[in-house]
């Protein structure tokens, strides 16, 4: 599926495959447009299966002009069958796509890998981003591995763990007084003044967004070339959520799998839920909000792809829900206790929403559900503080037996 143009999602105007992200006619967002596959389904499947165990096994579906290479191997993360979680929720079959296994422990390695590869093709010499944390980690790491300078702009109140993990790679960190939307506006201005800088989620955004499709590709392949019935995933800007569906659709259109795009359920934190609010109101107008949630990686108050996320949920018979901070903490704990996977707050939003869907009876008894866990819990360690007890005892067997007599009996 060779990439042949950038196309406006609104008016369909086409542009060359350059570093641009907005339509000059209607100011709509641009996305990569592809020609139909030039190979049969059998040939495409053979090429995929012969490829590396990274996102580049799907090079036929990604927007690069030459061979796909990156210094950090990204993707092919585990798809974990979560039988104990399914039992706890009263569901038949639940799978967890565990993105904590990526190089910087979140799905952002996927989008940065694609954006960086395309940026190098276009001749950029510096990597940069606006970030709520995970993207900062990924940009800093991938730039370091590629030998490029990196600048990451973040909200000033970001979790300390994410700041430390970014600084370790040598990136220049710029903490902006304001929320993510303020940071993003500043980055848009800076990108216009720095022609050699590739802002992965601004001037490189059409290419960057394509990396999220690989989550869908891997899910299909890891399920034995079958589609899930339902996908539950977090929504920040809405890009990952919509690109997941596009990934499933592209495999269907290429003849690699039969069926329809799964039911898509989006998950937001109640303290930053413009997309969930719009869905509940029956509109695609996502009114900007000021974020106030522990799920900082999802704290985008003015989501660029929010209207498309609402349309997708409606089109597939899904929904977009929000959960409270307490429900997020409960989701983190539930996933950890039943699967051994420790997720950050964004994953708590996803699992909290999955639990809400199960309780509401929205998930059918025969459905195969895949939940996207997009980041590692060590990135947001404060979220689990004071949620469990540490038993302190004297260093004696008698003290241990006394403390845990009920457990031993």
């Amino acid at each position: 599926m060779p990439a042949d143009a950038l196309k406006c999602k609104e008016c369909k105007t086409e542009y060359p495959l350059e570093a641009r992200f907005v339509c000059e006619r209607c100011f709509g967002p641009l996305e990569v447009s592809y020609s139909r596959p030039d190979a049969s389904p059998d040939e495409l499947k053979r090429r995929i299966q012969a490829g590396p165990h990274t996102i580049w096994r799907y090079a036929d579906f990604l927007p690069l002009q030459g061979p796909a290479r990156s210094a950090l191997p990204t993707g092919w993360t585990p798809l974990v069958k979560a039988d104990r979680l399914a039992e706890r929720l009263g569901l038949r079959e639940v799978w967890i796509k565990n993105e904590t296994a990526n190089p910087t422990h979140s799905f952002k390695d996927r989008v940065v890998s694609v954006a960086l590869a395309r940026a190098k093709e276009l001749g950029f010499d510096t990597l940069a981003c606006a970030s709520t944390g995970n993207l900062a980690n990924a940009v800093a790491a991938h730039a370091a591995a590629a030998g490029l300078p990196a600048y990451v702009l973040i909200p000033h109140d970001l979790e300390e763990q994410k700041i430390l993990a970014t600084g370790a790679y040598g990136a220049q960190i710029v903490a902006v007084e304001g929320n993510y939307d303020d940071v993003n506006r500043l980055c848009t201005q800076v990108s216009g003044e720095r022609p050699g800088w590739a802002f992965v989620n601004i001037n490189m955004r059409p290419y960057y967004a394509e990396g999220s499709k690989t989550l869908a590709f891997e899910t299909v392949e890891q399920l034995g070339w079958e589609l899930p019935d339902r996908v539950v995933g977090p929504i920040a800007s809405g890009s990952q959520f919509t690109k997941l569906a596009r990934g499933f659709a592209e495999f269907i259109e290429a003849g690699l799998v039969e069926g329809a795009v799964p039911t898509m359920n989006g998950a937001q934190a109640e303290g930053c839920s413009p997309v969930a609010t719009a869905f509940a109101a029956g509109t695609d107008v996502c009114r900007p909000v000021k974020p106030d949630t522990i799920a900082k990686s999802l704290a985008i108050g003015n989501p660029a792809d929010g209207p498309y996320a609402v349309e997708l949920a409606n089109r597939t018979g899904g929904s977009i829900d929000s959960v409270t901070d307490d429900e997020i903490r409960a989701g983190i704990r539930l996933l950890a206790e039943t699967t051994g996977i420790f997720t950050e707050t964004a994953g708590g939003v996803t699992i909290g929403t999955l639990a809400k869907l199960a309780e509401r009876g929205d998930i059918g008894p025969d459905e195969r559900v895949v939940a996207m866990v997009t980041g590692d819990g060590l990135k947001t360690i404060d979220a689990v503080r004071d949620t469990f007890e540490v038993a302190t005892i004297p260093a004696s067997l008698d003290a241990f037996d006394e403390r845990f007599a009920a457990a031993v009996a």
Side-chain angles (χ1 to χ4, degrees), residues 42-404:
D42 287 343
E43 173 63 16
L44 283 171
K45 186 178 290 189
R46 186 197 67 77
R47 292 208 297 241
I48 289 170
Q49 293 175 324
H53 281 172
T54 69
I55 63 169
W56 303 128
R57 70 197 282 112
Y58 307 111
D60 283 311
F61 296 84
L62 294 172
L64 302 182
Q65 303 302 297
R69 299 189 185 95
S70 57
L72 288 179
T74 295
W76 202 246
T77 56
L79 184 67
V80 179
K81 195 165 189 288
D83 290 336
R84 294 187 62 242
L85 175 60
E87 182 181 5
R88 184 82 73 89
L89 296 177
L91 302 175
R92 182 180 75 89
E93 187 176 344
V94 175
W95 296 79
I96 301 297
K97 187 59 172 158
N98 183 12
E99 288 293 277
T100 71
N102 275 312
T104 66
H105 313 291
S106 86
F107 91 97
K108 291 295 188 181
D109 289 304
R110 296 176 182 272
V111 291
V112 171
S113 291
V114 176
L116 175 55
R118 184 61 183 142
K120 291 172 72 174
E121 288 184 340
L122 291 172
F124 288 96
D125 56 22
T126 299
L127 207 62
C129 71
S131 175
T132 57
N134 286 328
L135 182 57
N137 292 174
V139 163
H142 287 260
L148 295 177
Y151 289 77
V152 298
L153 282 74
I154 59 174
H156 69 285
D157 60 350
L158 199 61
E159 298 100 336
E160 183 183 24
Q161 295 88 353
K162 290 178 179 176
I163 297 174
L164 293 173
T166 299
Y169 298 110
Q172 176 62 61
I173 302 172
V174 183
V176 178
E177 295 177 351
N179 58 31
Y180 174 82
D181 299 295
D182 299 315
V183 176
N184 194 57
R185 279 192 294 272
L186 176 58
C187 284
T188 303
Q189 294 170 338
V190 173
S191 70
E193 300 296 323
R194 301 289 193 278
W197 289 22
F199 275 84
V200 297
N201 53 342
I202 298 177
N203 56 351
M204 299 300 297
R205 185 176 180 83
Y207 310 105
Y208 159 95
E210 294 292 280
S212 290
K213 297 189 308 186
T214 61
L215 277 165
F217 300 155
E218 286 180 19
T219 296
V220 167
E221 190 175 357
Q222 290 170 330
L223 288 174
W225 296 97
E226 293 183 357
L227 292 160
D229 299 302
R230 183 181 300 266
V231 172
V232 184
I235 292 178
S237 72
S239 175
Q240 185 208 80
F241 187 68
T242 55
K243 288 299 182 180
L244 275 168
R246 178 165 174 173
F248 291 124
E250 286 183 356
F251 263 25
I252 294 168
E253 291 164 7
L256 290 169
V257 65
E258 294 182 355
V261 171
T263 301
M264 300 295 294
N265 290 101
Q268 290 206 293
E270 195 171 281
C272 186
S273 54
V275 188
T277 300
F279 179 85
T283 177
D284 63 358
V285 178
C286 301
R287 299 188 181 280
V289 300
K290 185 176 181 179
D292 181 18
T293 173
I294 62 171
K296 295 185 184 298
S297 61
L298 302 183
I300 297 179
N302 189 17
D305 290 290
Y308 305 110
V310 172
E311 187 277 331
L312 172 62
N314 282 318
R315 173 164 48 87
T316 60
S319 65
I320 300 173
D321 288 274
S322 63
V323 289
T324 66
D325 283 356
D326 283 344
E327 289 173 319
I328 294 169
R329 294 186 183 96
I332 293 171
R333 185 70 176 264
L334 175 61
L335 182 68
E337 288 180 346
T338 57
T339 67
I341 298 170
F342 181 28
T343 183
E344 67 162 4
T345 48
V349 171
T350 298
I351 302 303
T353 297
L354 174 64
K356 181 173 286 190
L357 294 170
E359 183 179 3
R360 225 166 41 205
D362 287 5
I363 300 174
D366 297 323
E367 287 192 30
R368 171 188 282 171
V369 183
V370 174
M372 298 292 164
V373 170
T374 51
D376 196 311
L378 294 175
K379 292 170 174 277
T380 59
I381 200 76
D382 285 342
V384 298
R385 195 179 302 279
D386 301 324
T387 62
F388 55 88
E389 178 186 355
V390 176
T392 303
I393 63 170
S396 75
L397 181 59
D398 287 344
F400 182 87
D401 287 343
E402 181 180 352
R403 176 65 178 80
F404 295 103

